[in-house]
Each structure stands twice: as C-alpha cells, then as structure tokens.
Amino acid sequence: MPNNIMGCDTAAIQLNPVIASSFNAHYYEPIPSSRYLFRSDEFWRGLDRWKDIDAELFLNHLWQEKNAITSVAALGDLIKNRISTAFLRDIEEGHQLAPMSIRLTPYVLSLIDWDNPFLDPLRRQFLPLASEKLVDHPMLKLDPMGEQNDSPAPGLTHRYPDRVLFLATNVCPVYCRYCTRSYAVGLDTDVVTKQKINAPGERWEPAFRYIEANSSVEDVVISGGDAYRLKARQITEIGERLLDIPHVRRMRFATKGLAVLPMKVQSDHDWTDAISRLSDRARKMGKSIAIHTHFNHPNEITAITAKALGILYERGVEVRNQAVILRGVNNSKQAMHRLNECLAYLNVRPYYCFQGDMIQGVETLRTSICDSIELEKATRGLIAGHNTPHFIVDLPGGGGKRDIHSYDYYDKQLGVAVYRAPAVKKDKLFLYCDPLHALSPESQALWINPESRVQLLDDVLKSAK
Ligand code: SF4
C-alpha cells in the first residue's frame, strides 16, 4: 500500500480491500475489438507526482477526490516540470479572467497531453489560457437560459408543463469552462460572485412539496452541480421520495462524473448500489431512471470508463450522453464520430449534441450555427440513427431545446438565428448569436456599436416575423 508517497495524501483514505479485486472481477465487458481498444496503461504514472501510484490507489474515488487540483498554484506545482513558465503564466492570467473556478481530478489531469497542452481537447475544456481569450459577443450573459425566472421553489426550475429541473447541489467533480450555470456552479472567481441557487439538504422539502402538488410534472432532472457529488443516502432520499409521487414517471440524474471520475462506479459501492436499487425499483413500478452524462471527446474514454459503464449496463441502468459542441475539442467530423461510436459501443446512447450556450468568457470554445449544422451533416449516416445524437440549441431566454436546423430565420452574414418555441412560449422569438470570431470585421463592428446593434436586432426580428 503506497501510503507514504510524497505529495499524495493517502493516509486518511480507508481503502476497501474489495476495490483492487473488483477491477478484475467478473462483470459485463465488451468483446475485445481492435477498433475499441481503450487505453489500459497506467497513464497517470507519466506525471512525476503519481509515478509510484499503483492501480489500486488510482482507482479509488476517495483518493481521486482528495488529490483533485483546485487552484492554479496546485496545478503549477503538479506540472511545472512538464510545461514552460510562460504556459503556466498563460493559465494563471486566463484563470483571472474566467467565470469558472478550477477543479480537476487526477484522472483528467493524467489524460492531458502535457507535451502539447495548447491543442489538447481536455485542457481546452477545463483550463483557460489568456492567450486564447476572444472578445465576448455583446449578447452573452452569465445565465443565458434565464433559469431563475422560472423558479417556484429554491433549486427548482419549472418551465415546461411536464418536467422540472431540480438543482440539488452546486458542486461538481470538475469544473468545465463553458458551464451553462457559470453564475452559480463552483467557487467565486475574480470576475464572478456565484449566486446560491441549489437546494441543499433540508431545503429540498419545498421542491418535493411543489412537485407533489403539481400533477403535470412527470419528469424530473436532478442536476446542479453534479449528481456525482451527492452521497449515496442523498441519491436514495431524492430518488425514493420522487418515485413515491404517483405522477412522477421519469427521473434523470445528470453527471459528468462518468467522464472525469469513472472509477467511482467501481469503488463507491454505496453510490452505485443506490442508483442500481432506484433503477430496479423504478422498473418494477413501470417508471424509469437514467443517468445523463457528459462526454465530449474520445480521449476521455479509457478501459476504466469501459469497466464503469459495463457495471451500469449489467445492472440495467440506462446511460445517455449529452455532449456540447466545443471549438477545438469535438467540432471535427473525426472527433465527433469517434466519440459517438465509442459511446454506442459502450451502450451509452449519444442523445444530445448541444450548441455551446451563449455564456460570457469562453468565446474561444463556441462555434457558429452554420458550422454546427455542417458537423451534423458530416456525421449523420456514419452510425445507426438511434445512436446519432440530436443536434440541439438550448434557446437563450428559456425557449427550451430546439433542433439546430429548425430556425425560422438565419442571417449567416450577421451570425444571428431566430427560433420559435410555440409549445413553450407562444409568440416569443428567441435569438442565438454566432460568436464574433466567426463573422467578418464589418459584421463584428455592427454588433459592437450599441446603436447599430439596436437597429440590427430590430431588422432581424422584423425579417423573422
Ligand atoms: S459538470 Fe456540468 S454543472 Fe458541473 S461545471 Fe461541468 S457543465 Fe457545469
């Protein structure tokens, strides 16, 4: 047991002796295929601090959480001999401008190619660089969905007749730069003081009572933050309470955890058992429980992921993926197709591909509507239809999810699309703006000037009508 390794706080972790053997235990495993040989090397040993960490320790979720990196200083300490001083300064300065705080698991940190971090698709998702920051479109917001406008109880958003969003926590196993709840999730940053929107612990009761009293609610999304950070007893409490409500038919636990901390499924037996028990009970009641996860790039998938997803599949827990289209991460035909075929192989349904939300501070990651449509065209047909994700834009201002092609009007020159959502907000028009970097200098100037912007918006809305 390597509990004396410099820099790794292992002493306080009670290792479960079952963990090491469970890594090799018998459960569903995909039939080996040369197309799906997920990396199974001890890749974490490539970082000096973890070069003596064995698989037993690395595969323990408590060790992963204890050794998560939560500051630029700690990151620098970990990788300073792998990157230049200038690159570390670039991260420091990028972090000072970022709406999201830093939190990364050793799993993700070890998968980043530190010999080429600038282009690495995982680094781009989690670590900002000042040098890649691009000017924000003036229509961006920190809460582009306007979730707080439709909140009947703390931590609850009720926008669509049959479903609610229940924000049970405001913390995640990692923090993504492009989080749609940049205004609330994670710790305060230099540029954003986070709003308290979740309903922790005793504050769940008003949300439960609201759902009980509204018989139109059939579907509950439990999110945050991230359901991975809920303890097993909390998963059970929420799930059982909701299953006991006769009109609640479907539940979805939202978590990026499977992509960034997959070993938790193997080592946190209580958490996995809690989800499995709920799934079994739901099925016996004619209801359903699923995990909605969030893989964005095939590099996030390893043999550890395959084993975690195998356990869930064998236990009958349905897993669906919701990716976000991110520039320089997965906006290529190769990356998107590989992601979807790997997920399908592992029995995860590639359900949604979201257009990047109009969030402040991460323009370098957004694509234009027309580029995302081209991406959809390039990938559709490469894989069976039921495993082809819907390419979706979640409309700013609360119009809900629309097929990305379904705009009523799109001015590619000005980079603005107009959508309607008659079943959600009758007669209202919703705008999605392409990032400025996708536009000509002339179009950019029209958006940046406040007077021409007002005129431009007026003209666009008239044309759409
Ligand atoms: S895991 Fe989800 S909720 Fe958490 S930071 Fe990432 S996108 Fe936001």
Side-chain angles (χ1 to χ4, degrees):
M1 184 76 56
N3 61 357
N4 56 351
I5 293 164
M6 290 290 289
C8 298
D9 187 0
T10 61
I13 296 174
Q14 295 296 309
L15 280 176
N16 183 333
V18 177
I19 291 167
S21 57
S22 78
F23 187 60
N24 298 313
H26 173 74
Y27 46 76
Y28 165 82
E29 272 190 73
I31 299 163
S33 151
S34 57
R35 286 182 60 211
Y36 298 101
L37 287 177
F38 303 114
R39 68 182 299 182
S40 57
D41 58 317
E42 297 189 340
F43 53 86
W44 57 91
R45 293 187 192 256
L47 286 174
D48 266 3
R49 183 178 301 168
W50 298 324
K51 68 180 184 327
D52 295 324
I53 297 293
D54 63 17
E56 179 184 5
L57 198 52
F58 191 78
L59 292 172
N60 185 295
H61 70 285
L62 295 176
W63 182 87
Q64 289 281 328
E65 285 170 14
K66 248 185 157 12
N67 288 279
I69 293 296
T70 57
S71 69
V72 177
L75 178 72
D77 214 33
L78 180 76
I79 54 169
K80 59 179 181 276
N81 61 348
R82 295 292 302 276
I83 57 168
S84 66
T85 315
F87 192 78
L88 187 56
R89 197 174 317 116
D90 206 357
I91 295 177
E92 272 165 12
E93 290 170 5
H95 180 57
Q96 284 161 10
L97 304 169
M100 293 299 289
S101 48
I102 285 182
R103 183 180 171 88
L104 280 167
T105 55
Y107 176 79
V108 173
L109 282 160
S110 311
L111 287 172
I112 293 174
D113 177 4
W114 291 108
D115 294 328
N116 190 11
F118 191 83
L119 294 176
D120 187 273
L122 273 70
R123 194 284 302 162
R124 276 182 73 77
Q125 290 182 62
F126 301 108
L127 293 172
L129 298 180
S131 62
E132 64 180 8
K133 182 140 174 57
L134 296 173
V135 177
D136 275 1
H137 194 291
M139 299 291 281
L140 300 186
K141 292 183 176 165
L142 276 177
D143 176 18
M145 300 307 139
E147 286 177 338
Q148 292 172 290
N149 303 335
D150 298 295
S151 180
L156 200 70
T157 297
H158 189 187
R159 175 168 293 151
Y160 316 111
D162 70 335
R163 53 203 182 278
V164 292
L165 171 66
F166 178 35
L167 303 175
T169 174
N170 67 346
V171 290
C172 306
V174 296
Y175 292 127
C176 315
R177 292 171 62 194
Y178 52 88
C179 179
T180 199
R181 295 191 192 103
S182 291
Y183 66 97
V185 167
L187 304 176
D188 292 347
T189 70
D190 288 355
V191 293
V192 180
T193 303
K194 305 285 170 164
Q195 297 182 30
K196 303 289 170 256
I197 54 155
N198 64 310
E202 67 280 8
R203 288 173 57 215
W204 291 346
E205 192 57 32
F208 291 143
R209 290 219 187 104
Y210 178 87
I211 297 168
E212 279 164 351
N214 283 272
S215 58
S216 66
V217 176
E218 296 187 0
D219 204 319
V220 183
V221 179
I222 299 111
S223 185
D226 192 300
Y228 238 46
R229 297 296 299 275
L230 294 171
K231 296 184 170 39
R233 66 172 167 73
Q234 295 175 308
I235 295 277
T236 301
E237 181 188 341
I238 293 170
E240 296 286 356
R241 182 71 180 266
L242 293 174
L243 280 178
D244 286 340
I245 301 173
H247 51 265
V248 172
R249 305 285 305 162
R250 296 170 293 278
M251 247 179 272
R252 296 172 258 169
F253 285 91
T255 175
K256 191 169 171 67
L258 295 172
V260 296
L261 189 64
M263 56 284 289
K264 182 179 170 82
V265 174
Q266 291 167 255
S267 68
D268 190 347
H269 298 158
D270 291 344
W271 192 91
T272 307
D273 287 347
I275 286 279
S276 306
R277 266 196 306 270
L278 284 178
S279 171
D280 290 346
R281 184 174 171 225
R283 202 171 303 105
K284 283 183 184 131
M285 296 171 79
K287 301 188 175 190
S288 76
I289 283 182
I291 291 177
H292 276 206
T293 193
H294 179 180
F295 288 87
N296 284 328
H297 193 276
N299 286 9
E300 292 158 8
I301 300 172
T302 64
I304 304 169
T305 328
K307 285 181 183 289
L309 292 171
I311 291 171
L312 293 173
Y313 186 68
E314 187 186 47
R315 290 183 175 209
V317 180
E318 184 169 6
V319 184
R320 306 178 192 124
N321 192 58
Q322 302 191 159
V324 179
I325 303 168
L326 298 169
R327 183 167 161 264
V329 175
N330 58 13
N331 65 327
S332 68
K333 175 183 162 186
Q334 292 73 14
M336 185 57 77
H337 174 52
R338 184 66 184 154
L339 173 67
N340 292 330
E341 69 174 1
C342 289
L343 291 172
Y345 181 77
L346 296 170
N347 296 299
V348 175
R349 186 176 158 210
Y351 173 47
Y352 276 154
C353 260
F354 282 107
Q355 177 70 0
D357 289 331
M358 288 175 56
I359 302 282
Q360 289 173 345
V362 282
E363 282 296 72
T364 188
L365 293 178
R366 268 205 316 139
T367 58
S368 65
I369 290 280
C370 54
D371 282 355
S372 298
I373 287 175
E374 287 307 312
L375 182 63
E376 193 268 356
K377 278 186 196 158
T379 49
R380 182 166 291 278
L382 292 174
I383 190 167
H386 64 94
N387 276 321
T388 301
H390 301 291
F391 281 62
I392 292 295
V393 55
D394 203 352
L395 294 176
K401 299 168 188 67
R402 314 305 293 179
D403 185 310
I404 199 166
H405 302 84
S406 68
Y407 50 77
D408 282 61
Y409 177 83
Y410 181 28
D411 187 325
K412 287 188 193 170
Q413 214 65 37
L414 292 171
V416 57
V418 183
Y419 292 83
R420 286 175 215 270
V424 181
K425 287 188 179 148
K426 197 164 165 276
D427 301 330
K428 187 166 175 193
L429 296 176
F430 297 89
L431 299 180
Y432 184 92
C433 300
D434 291 340
L436 290 181
H437 61 74
L439 307 181
S440 66
E442 295 74 27
S443 295
Q444 291 186 25
L446 287 172
W447 279 109
I448 289 167
N449 180 316
E451 283 170 22
S452 56
R453 188 188 321 145
V454 170
Q455 186 60 49
L456 179 163
L457 288 168
D458 202 39
D459 292 347
V460 164
L461 291 172
K462 274 189 193 134
S463 303
K465 280 176 186 158

